[in-house]
């Protein structure tokens, strides 16, 4: 499975609609709470600001891709980092 497809699915799930343009802090709070984590909107906003490439207070698909699957990510590197050693 391509990392772009995985990130797009995550983006749609977090944004909460089928054709999202961005993710805002309230959508991120809702996503976390739906998954059993209580996080404040202020914390989510700070998180977004850390990764927001155009400083509009929103995460784009490109921003989320840079967070979840940076250019340095490769399947072989992931596989090596998650091997079990006996």
């Amino acid at each position: 499975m391509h990392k772009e497809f995985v990130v797009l699915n995550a983006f749609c799930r977090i944004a909460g609609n089928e054709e999202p343009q961005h993710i805002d802090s309230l959508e991120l709070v809702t996503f976390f709470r739906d998954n059993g984590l209580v996080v404040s909107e202020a914390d989510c906003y700070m998180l977004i600001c850390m990764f927001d490439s155009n400083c509009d207070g929103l995460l784009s698909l490109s921003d989320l891709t840079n967070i979840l699957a940076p250019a340095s990510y490769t399947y072989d590197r992931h596989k090596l980092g998650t091997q079990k050693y006996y």
Side-chain angles (χ1 to χ4, degrees):
M1 189 178 302
H2 298 292
K3 67 182 178 181
E4 292 83 9
F5 182 71
V6 172
V7 174
L8 179 59
N9 281 339
F11 188 78
C12 291
R13 186 168 176 221
I14 295 168
N17 56 49
E18 292 183 24
E19 293 186 31
Q21 301 299 312
H22 59 267
I23 295 170
D24 62 27
S25 56
L26 187 56
E27 290 167 332
L28 202 52
V29 166
T30 302
F31 172 77
F32 283 130
R33 290 189 179 161
D34 288 349
N35 287 282
L37 298 169
V38 178
V39 181
S40 72
E41 188 174 356
D43 287 341
C44 287
Y45 184 76
M46 288 189 323
L47 179 68
I48 287 174
C49 288
M50 288 176 56
F51 296 102
D52 178 14
S53 62
N54 63 356
C55 301
D56 64 355
L58 304 167
L59 285 182
S60 66
L61 178 58
S62 175
D63 294 334
L64 191 65
T65 300
N66 289 333
I67 295 166
L68 299 178
S72 62
Y73 174 86
T74 64
Y75 176 74
D76 290 334
R77 186 173 180 187
H78 172 74
K79 187 174 154 186
L80 180 66
T82 58
Q83 286 179 345
K84 293 182 180 179
Y85 296 98
Y86 297 98

